[in-house]
Amino acid sequence: LAIAVSALSSVSFFIDRIQAGIRDEAAHLLGADMVIVSDREFDSVWLNQAKKYGLARAETRIFPTMVLSGKGGETVAKLVSLKAVSENYPLRGAVRIAGEENDPGKKAATIPGAGTVWADPELLREAGIRPDDRVRIGNGFFRVTQRIVTEPDRGISFIHFAPRIMMSLLDLEKTGLVQPASRVSYRLLLAGNEKDIERYRKWAEERIKAVS
């Protein structure tokens, strides 16, 4: 009986560790414990409910657009996947950035600063862009300061096949690219303890049903 109890306890402990590991890995791949995706901007109700449950939150906007670069009168246009991120992004995991090519990079302590963007090395090579060069995105001009080495919630979809350009959400308005018919993916990232995340999930499901 003692051996059976010990065996069951060991198996249970092992399974719990595996489940915890899977949850942690999933959170790092999402950049949060929970992500809600919408084709419209989240109103204050969603944000206030997250605050009520004590959840950390961040927001992103993702959509395809063109970036223009060039020197000496020659302009190069490239399709990119633009990602505008709020403070605290990501809530889980980390973006790794590098200043030079082939640099393994370091964990980013902040998001891109005002008037700056980070870009995939692929885009920099193809467009001939170097760090500190300026690029045009919509109506705005931005200085490229870092290469993106890894991004926790990159995912796989059509818009992610294009190279990434990342900027601060506060700079997005400068571009003038978000219009009523724009194909923008709005994402609300949430993180907290398991109990509060589950409470928010249930609340969100009820709200979606109520408005659909």
Side-chain angles (χ1 to χ4, degrees), residues 128-188:
I129 302 170
R130 299 185 62 81
D132 287 330
D133 283 354
R134 296 178 76 215
V135 296
R136 180 174 178 177
I137 305 172
N139 298 328
F141 289 88
F142 302 88
R143 186 165 57 90
V144 179
T145 57
Q146 298 289 345
R147 291 173 167 85
I148 299 173
V149 178
T150 58
E151 181 185 348
D153 57 335
R154 183 63 177 261
I156 299 175
S157 71
F158 173 75
I159 60 175
H160 291 129
F161 288 127
R164 171 77 78 220
I165 280 276
M166 186 181 295
M167 66 168 56
S168 167
L169 188 56
L170 296 177
D171 269 347
L172 184 57
E173 187 175 352
K174 296 178 186 178
T175 68
L177 292 173
V178 179
Q179 303 293 333
S182 299
R183 296 171 54 199
V184 181
S185 174
Y186 295 85
R187 302 190 179 200
L188 175 61

Side-chain angles (χ1 to χ4, degrees), residues 2-138:
I3 293 174
V5 170
S6 297
L8 288 173
S9 298
S10 298
V11 170
S12 178
F13 176 75
F14 180 65
I15 292 174
D16 288 343
R17 290 293 298 272
I18 291 177
Q19 290 177 335
I22 292 174
R23 284 196 299 269
D24 289 344
E25 185 65 23
H28 280 75
L29 291 175
L30 289 173
D33 293 328
M34 178 179 180
V35 178
I36 303 175
V37 183
S38 174
D39 59 359
R40 66 190 69 179
E41 188 171 1
F42 291 94
D43 59 37
S44 59
V45 174
W46 293 86
L47 306 181
N48 291 339
Q49 194 70 18
K51 184 177 180 180
K52 177 180 176 181
Y53 290 156
L55 301 176
R57 63 185 186 275
E59 294 183 69
T60 67
R61 313 277 192 272
I62 305 174
F63 58 95
T65 189
M66 302 297 292
V67 61
L68 304 178
S69 65
K71 295 179 181 179
E74 182 181 356
T75 300
V76 177
K78 290 290 183 179
L79 176 68
V80 298
S81 173
L82 175 63
K83 184 175 189 175
V85 301
S86 70
E87 292 289 345
N88 299 329
Y89 169 84
L91 299 178
R92 302 291 188 215
V95 177
R96 294 187 65 83
I97 54 176
E100 301 295 332
E101 195 165 6
N102 299 321
D103 186 335
K106 63 181 180 180
K107 178 180 177 180
T110 63
I111 62 174
T116 71
V117 294
W118 299 345
D120 276 353
E122 173 190 352
L123 173 64
L124 303 187
R125 287 193 297 268
E126 291 182 356
I129 302 170
R130 299 185 62 81
D132 287 330
D133 283 354
R134 296 178 76 215
V135 296
R136 180 174 178 177
I137 305 172

Side-chain angles (χ1 to χ4, degrees), residues 188-206:
L188 175 61
L189 285 67
L190 302 163
N193 64 56
E194 190 174 347
K195 179 181 177 181
D196 291 332
I197 286 291
E198 181 62 18
R199 291 170 65 196
Y200 192 93
R201 183 187 66 79
K202 290 180 179 179
W203 173 86
E205 288 177 346
E206 291 299 322

